[in-house]
Amino acid sequence: MDSGGRSGLSQGKYVRDMSVSPELTLLIPVHNELENIEPLYRRLCEVLEGTGKTFEILMVDDGSTDGSLEKIRELGRQDGRVHLIDLGGHFGQTPALAAGSRRARGAIVVMLDADLQNDPADIPRLLEACHRGLDVVCGWRRRRADCWLTRTLPSLLANRILSWITGVRLHDFGCTLRACRRELLVPAHFWGESHRFLPALLARQGARIGELEVTHHPRRAGRSKYGLSRVFRFLGDLVVLLRMDRPAPPQSHHRNSPV
């Protein structure tokens, strides 16, 4: 075990006990976010310990090459609430969320990015909305701290298209920060980059969907993983979604004639 003096984290305070399920799972896909991991961990603990709820922090490493994997392991040795899934390669955000959803043990799963642009202080409000009867509560980054041309504008267009096609009226399908009842997260909902379609896919099951305005911070460390190339992946996944919306062809009831 690494020395606790370097990080200032308290070791042994929370012992891993897999026999008891926590109330919440914080599901965080990670790809090359070394400088953000420990500050995010500290902020999550500060906020969630204030709620009095039990929780686990499930970090899914998606092929990091900057030391993020080792940092998550270090946190896991020092705090039994921190768990690691190592994908063993770079597969993307949707496969990372799918892997984490399969391993999550909390009744409510809260997804968020590892880059500190999502604010953990918004999580209690999402949980409160779930307790009021919603099945999925999505964040709305009304005031985005991103490049307007490469991030904000494509997102605005995509959100309008998705609302029109799916009938689910959300302002921000792409916000990773969302709370969801764990039993709704099934493998069939994760394909391509379908995490942005998740509210619409869950609405088909009859899930009650809500949206809350959340804080969005500028990225302070690391490098953004997104750009205009994501638009083309969105269009490809949109074609898949449209095919899924098509009604099945009617079955033939003609009986084959004997030869």
Side-chain angles (χ1 to χ4, degrees):
M1 181 176 293
D2 296 336
S3 169
R6 269 203 320 261
S7 64
L9 300 173
S10 57
Q11 296 190 49
K13 184 176 179 182
Y14 296 98
V15 179
R16 182 167 290 131
D17 183 0
M18 301 300 288
S19 66
V20 179
S21 294
E23 295 172 89
L24 308 173
T25 294
L26 285 302
L27 174 52
I28 307 168
V30 177
H31 179 66
N32 291 340
E33 296 288 356
L34 176 60
E35 296 173 84
N36 293 316
I37 290 172
E38 189 166 322
L40 175 61
Y41 160 80
R42 290 178 179 277
R43 186 73 179 116
L44 286 171
C45 291
E46 178 185 346
V47 169
L48 292 171
E49 287 171 6
T51 68
K53 298 184 181 298
T54 58
F55 63 91
E56 64 177 356
I57 300 174
L58 184 55
M59 295 190 177
V60 185
D61 187 78
D62 182 30
S64 294
T65 57
D66 68 341
S68 295
L69 181 63
E70 291 73 20
K71 172 56 71 174
I72 300 169
R73 285 190 175 125
E74 178 186 339
L75 292 176
R77 289 193 294 266
Q78 296 164 339
D79 187 339
R81 300 171 299 185
V82 178
H83 304 266
L84 165 69
I85 297 177
D86 179 10
L87 294 185
H90 183 39
F91 299 97
Q93 190 171 10
T94 297
L97 291 172
S101 297
R102 289 193 294 269
R103 286 275 300 276
R105 297 183 299 134
I108 301 292
V109 177
V110 178
M111 303 176 185
L112 71 159
D113 289 326
D115 57 13
L116 285 175
Q117 291 194 262
N118 297 143
D119 194 332
D122 289 318
I123 293 175
R125 295 172 51 241
L126 300 181
L127 298 177
E128 182 182 350
C130 283
H131 294 320
R132 290 200 303 264
L134 291 175
D135 298 309
V136 183
V137 186
C138 304
W140 171 21
R141 299 163 294 179
R142 187 173 190 172
R143 296 171 180 84
R144 289 191 63 164
D146 285 324
C147 175
W148 187 84
L149 179 62
T150 61
R151 299 289 299 276
T152 304
L153 177 60
S155 179
L156 286 171
L157 296 174
N159 288 322
R160 291 191 179 187
I161 292 170
L162 282 174
S163 289
W164 175 62
I165 288 175
T166 66
V168 177
R169 303 304 178 191
L170 292 178
H171 294 90
D172 196 352
F173 282 87
C175 183
T176 304
L177 181 58
R178 56 179 63 133
C180 180
R181 300 190 187 281
R182 185 190 62 194
E183 66 268 18
L184 297 176
L185 300 175
V186 298
H189 291 144
F190 295 97
W191 39 266
E193 290 196 4
S194 67
H195 59 277
R196 65 171 63 85
F197 304 142
L198 191 59
L201 294 170
L202 295 177
R204 290 176 175 173
Q205 296 180 217
R208 292 159 293 185
I209 312 292
E211 186 176 53
L212 287 176
E213 186 173 339
V214 296
T215 303
H216 192 240
H217 296 291
R219 176 183 272 275
R220 301 189 184 279
R223 186 171 59 87
S224 175
K225 316 303 186 298
Y226 306 118
L228 287 174
S229 62
R230 201 178 190 193
V231 173
F232 300 103
R233 296 195 294 272
F234 165 77
L235 293 174
D237 287 337
L238 187 60
V239 170
V240 176
L241 186 67
L242 289 170
R243 289 180 180 272
M244 293 171 65
D245 277 334
R246 287 181 181 176
Q251 294 184 356
S252 172
H253 297 287
H254 294 294
R255 182 174 299 172
N256 291 332
S257 302
V259 176

